[in-house]
Amino acid sequence: MLKRLTFLASAVAGITLLVTSSLATAASAEITFPDLYEASIAELQDGLEKGHFSSVDLVKAYFARIEEVNLQGPALRAVIETNPSALQQAAELDAERKLHGPRGPLHGIPIIVKDNIATLHSEGMNTTAGSFALLGSVVPRDATVAAKLRAAGAIILGKANLSEWANFRGNVPSGFSGRGGQATNPYLQNADPSGSSSGSAISAAIGLAAGTLGSETDGSILSPSNKNNLVGIKPTVGLTSRAGVVPISSHQDTVGPIVRSVADAAAILTVIAGRDPLDNFTLAQPEPVPDFSKALNPFALKGARLGIPRSFQGSDPNIIAAFNASVEIIKSLGATIVDPAEFPDAAEIRKSGNETIVLTDDFKVDVNNYIAGLLEVPTGVKNLADLIQFNIDHADEELIPPFYTDQSQFIASENSTMDAAYFAALAADKDLGQTRGIDGTLKEFNLDAILLPTNGFTAGPAAIAGYPVITVPLGFQPDNLTATAANPTISNGPGIPFGIAFMGTAFSEFKLVGFAFAYEQATHNRLKRLAFPAAIPKTQLKDIVGKH
Ligand SMILES: *[C@@H]1O[C@H](CO)[C@@H](O)[C@H](O)[C@H]1NC(C)=O
Ligand SMILES: *[C@@H]1O[C@H](CO)[C@@H](O)[C@H](O)[C@H]1NC(C)=O
Ligand SMILES: *[C@@H]1O[C@H](CO)[C@@H](O)[C@H](O)[C@H]1NC(C)=O
Ligand SMILES: *[C@@H]1O[C@H](CO)[C@@H](O)[C@H](O)[C@H]1NC(C)=O
Ligand SMILES: *[C@@H]1O[C@H](CO)[C@@H](O)[C@H](O)[C@H]1NC(C)=O
Ligand SMILES: *[C@@H]1O[C@H](CO)[C@@H](O)[C@H](O)[C@H]1NC(C)=O
Ligand SMILES: CC(=O)N[C@H]1CO[C@H](CO)[C@@H](O)[C@@H]1O
């Protein structure tokens, strides 16, 4: 950690403070506490094992960091609720560690999950997808991914703000929910954090937890990871269970990690992946679940063949220039680059409206099933029609003018039926995304994976295919870029991060994690620029350990 920050000091102006405080930490306590802005899960586990600090210390430190920036200071609005049981759980996990040792790499590690991922009501937190309509609703059980985190010894520290209903209510700015308000980006004041896993990404970016979970239907992990300088894995649909996750579409939804490093992503994915009788899409995955941390090979790109579909690279010249420079690095790591390697169906996939049909029709069925499965809903909403009426009745909290009034996707979905056009659209998406799309491209050019700037047309093909993508930090917009006007957030401006994406076929995560790790280790782009100073929480473990 210190080594990396020292390297940074020579590369970037304005980070001296962080380096100094890190060194001061080490000197005053005579043990090196990891800097919580960047601390990896492995570093935290090591400190816990050595007794340098406890999980109770970690929870207190992260709570203090959330307090500093969530509603105060830069008011990033990343977190909707913190877990009132977290300190108690941390104490129990500390005691268990003393008696029996750690359960595994996540024992006693605090994780924040998106507010559409159910957590036990008895623990004290809501699961609402950001909407007042689900406030106080009683979920039947933890989402399977939350239960798996807990079984691995992780502490669910809190629930992350998000684009409400994972951005399926209507045309609403990213990062807004009725309950959480407008979340913003820690790299530029009042900038778009992207979404829909906005709060998860903001929290990971500045160290409000050791790691986070997000969910993606089309871009909701990749895009906020891209814009908040993070590693995000959008797993194959069916690798991670969606049971207990407020849905958009059973055909496209997937849950994955949003974290600071590929190693952290591998550690979390290993725990949350697996078959689940409550989500039959997971039954198609190969068994056993791999230990994704075994894919962390710095030489994984040697001999790999990667193709670049240039017509999907997007149009931002800064991003394309940085991407091109990284292509040279990837070549120097021993990969063969096929450039261009266009999708055989590029034009069709671009203009297809099939995804809209699938999502619109799925949402009504899937969200109605989710609500029907709740044990109690104090607001009385029973289905999508009630949700629409709830928003009208509570317009002051949910349909706030001038930016947040739309619920057109809700209305279109309520009006939909699973007719012949729906089944035709589902079949067309499979053909467009899988057969003639990602698989077609991999086959035509004999590739291991597809390489793109994450902000290009990257999430789209993977969304309709249900296929995996991993994004890794690539660079930052330059200081001389003129920021766009705030509407209500700034969509692009100086310091806004961007990423590079590795896309593959179904269940190719192990291979993609290897490529991403090799790239990350050769570049270490994440620490080349930090969040804006007010968005960097000051509380560190040295302020907590041994204090009362
Ligand atoms: C849900 O949110 C309400 C209002 O913020 C809060 O009073 C309550 O403790 C939260 N938790 C549960 C489980 O309802
Ligand atoms: C899952 O179960 C549903 C309902 O029984 C069924 O319609 C669907 O085809 C199944 N899906 C998979 C992927 O097995
Ligand atoms: C990026 O690389 C491609 C392929 O070599 C080239 O056509 C393009 O001009 C480059 N763009 C930039 C901005 O460097
Ligand atoms: C669905 O995709 C097929 C294949 O490209 C296309 O012919 C059809 O027009 C698409 N449907 C819509 C609604 O865009
Ligand atoms: C509702 O569905 C009908 C029939 O498909 C369509 O004509 C109408 O435009 C739809 N209304 C909305 C609000 O989507
Ligand atoms: C920003 O700075 C770069 C590098 O110095 C330069 O190439 C570019 O033209 C500048 N852009 C603007 C908009 O001034
Ligand atoms: C943990 C936290 O700070 N939650 C806040 C999220 O935002 C809402 C709306 O401002 C507050 O009511 C919560 O307290």
Side-chain angles (χ1 to χ4, degrees):
M1 185 65 223
L2 284 175
K3 209 174 78 202
R4 263 187 278 158
L5 288 173
T6 310
F7 154 72
L8 233 188
S10 58
V12 183
I15 53 84
T16 331
L17 245 181
L18 190 73
V19 175
T20 317
S21 81
S22 234
L23 290 169
T25 298
S28 64
E30 288 176 350
I31 45 174
T32 311
F33 291 124
D35 183 331
L36 295 181
Y37 183 86
E38 195 61 13
S40 70
I41 290 173
E43 277 176 291
L44 294 176
Q45 193 56 252
D46 184 58
L48 289 167
E49 266 302 277
K50 288 179 173 146
H52 291 173
F53 48 87
S54 65
S55 289
V56 167
D57 294 326
L58 265 184
V59 168
K60 285 182 179 167
Y62 283 129
F63 276 172
R65 291 171 71 85
I66 293 168
E67 179 87 19
E68 282 184 61
V69 298
N70 201 46
L71 300 183
Q72 303 176 48
L76 300 173
R77 297 188 172 278
V79 180
I80 290 193
E81 285 184 27
T82 52
N83 182 354
S85 308
L87 279 170
Q88 170 70 32
Q89 291 169 6
E92 285 164 17
L93 287 159
D94 284 335
E96 182 186 318
R97 177 191 299 277
K98 276 193 184 132
L99 276 176
H100 306 293
R103 293 184 203 174
L106 296 192
H107 187 117
I109 300 291
I111 306 279
I112 286 177
V113 305
K114 189 176 181 178
D115 187 48
N116 62 351
I117 297 173
T119 51
L120 285 176
H121 183 77
S122 57
E123 177 181 59
M125 290 192 290
N126 291 280
T127 302
T128 68
S131 169
F132 283 106
L134 293 185
L135 187 60
S137 65
V138 182
V139 297
R141 62 188 80 82
D142 267 333
T144 301
V145 288
K148 281 174 170 282
L149 284 177
R150 268 192 231 284
I155 299 159
I156 317 263
L157 188 72
K159 304 300 273 282
N161 198 6
L162 71 168
S163 310
E164 196 180 272
W165 297 104
N167 197 27
F168 207 74
R169 196 186 80 184
N171 188 10
V172 178
S174 286
F176 168 83
S177 72
R179 286 192 64 218
Q182 176 67 59
T184 55
N185 193 304
Y187 289 87
L188 178 68
Q189 203 124 29
N190 198 35
D192 180 5
S194 191
S196 68
S197 307
S198 319
S200 304
I202 300 162
S203 299
I206 55 174
L208 303 185
T212 74
L213 291 188
S215 70
E216 172 149 338
T217 306
D218 185 334
S220 281
I221 288 173
L222 296 173
S223 186
S225 299
N226 177 58
K227 281 216 161 180
N228 290 278
N229 196 19
L230 295 161
V231 173
I233 300 183
K234 181 260 179 180
T236 309
V237 173
L239 182 68
T240 53
S241 169
R242 293 84 46 82
V245 180
V246 183
I248 293 177
S249 161
S250 58
H251 293 96
Q252 291 191 199
D253 296 349
T254 186
V255 179
I258 299 181
V259 290
R260 293 180 287 272
S261 68
V262 178
D264 289 353
I268 292 178
L269 187 62
T270 302
V271 164
I272 63 171
R275 295 188 181 181
D276 175 13
L278 297 176
D279 175 0
N280 66 359
F281 280 67
T282 63
L283 306 181
Q285 71 181 276
E287 283 200 304
V289 174
D291 176 351
F292 292 102
S293 54
K294 298 224 161 81
L296 303 175
N297 169 12
F299 307 110
L301 281 163
K302 198 172 164 57
R305 278 176 67 88
L306 307 181
I308 304 173
R310 286 280 172 185
S311 71
F312 289 175
Q313 72 180 354
S315 58
D316 184 317
N318 296 324
I319 296 180
I320 295 165
F323 175 77
N324 278 2
S326 274
V327 170
E328 295 309 314
I329 295 171
I330 289 169
K331 279 185 196 163
S332 77
L333 295 171
T336 299
I337 299 288
V338 182
D339 182 8
E342 301 298 348
F343 276 47
D345 63 351
E348 270 178 86
I349 200 172
R350 273 266 199 208
K351 66 169 197 271
S352 164
N354 289 294
E355 183 183 13
T356 305
I357 297 173
V358 170
L359 299 187
T360 301
D361 290 15
D362 274 352
F363 181 70
K364 180 178 176 179
V365 172
D366 291 338
V367 86
N368 285 349
N369 278 338
Y370 176 87
I371 297 173
L374 294 171
L375 302 180
E376 215 181 296
V377 188
T379 57
V381 299
K382 290 188 175 58
N383 51 39
L384 179 55
D386 291 349
L387 287 178
I388 293 167
Q389 192 57 47
F390 179 92
N391 287 339
I392 294 168
D393 294 344
H394 299 82
D396 58 326
E397 290 178 309
E398 288 290 350
L399 305 179
I400 306 167
F403 298 112
Y404 309 114
T405 57
D406 194 34
Q407 57 169 340
S408 58
Q409 271 166 314
F410 269 16
I411 293 165
S413 181
E414 176 56 22
N415 193 30
S416 73
T417 46
M418 283 185 171
D419 51 11
Y422 166 79
F423 291 102
L426 257 187
D429 272 355
K430 196 169 169 178
D431 177 53
L432 284 170
Q434 300 183 356
T435 317
R436 291 191 293 136
I438 296 170
D439 288 332
T441 310
L442 295 173
K443 202 164 159 201
E444 178 162 339
F445 300 101
N446 187 27
L447 305 173
D448 294 296
I450 290 159
L451 188 64
L452 276 171
T454 309
N455 85 316
F457 187 53
T458 303
I464 61 170
Y467 281 4
V469 185
I470 175 164
T471 180
V472 183
L474 166 60
F476 306 84
Q477 294 291 354
D479 281 324
N480 63 358
L481 180 73
T482 307
T484 57
N487 185 32
T489 53
I490 295 166
S491 68
N492 201 14
I496 293 291
F498 48 81
I500 185 169
F502 300 82
M503 182 189 321
T505 191
F507 304 112
S508 64
E509 283 84 353
F510 193 87
K511 212 185 217 183
L512 299 182
V513 164
F515 297 160
F517 182 73
Y519 172 78
E520 175 198 53
Q521 295 305 303
T523 53
H524 287 298
N525 291 327
R526 187 180 133 79
L527 284 178
K528 290 179 181 167
R529 185 159 181 148
L530 302 181
F532 65 85
I536 300 176
K538 290 176 188 56
T539 305
Q540 292 288 355
L541 282 164
K542 73 168 164 49
D543 305 309
I544 305 289
V545 176
K547 311 268 157 73
H548 295 288

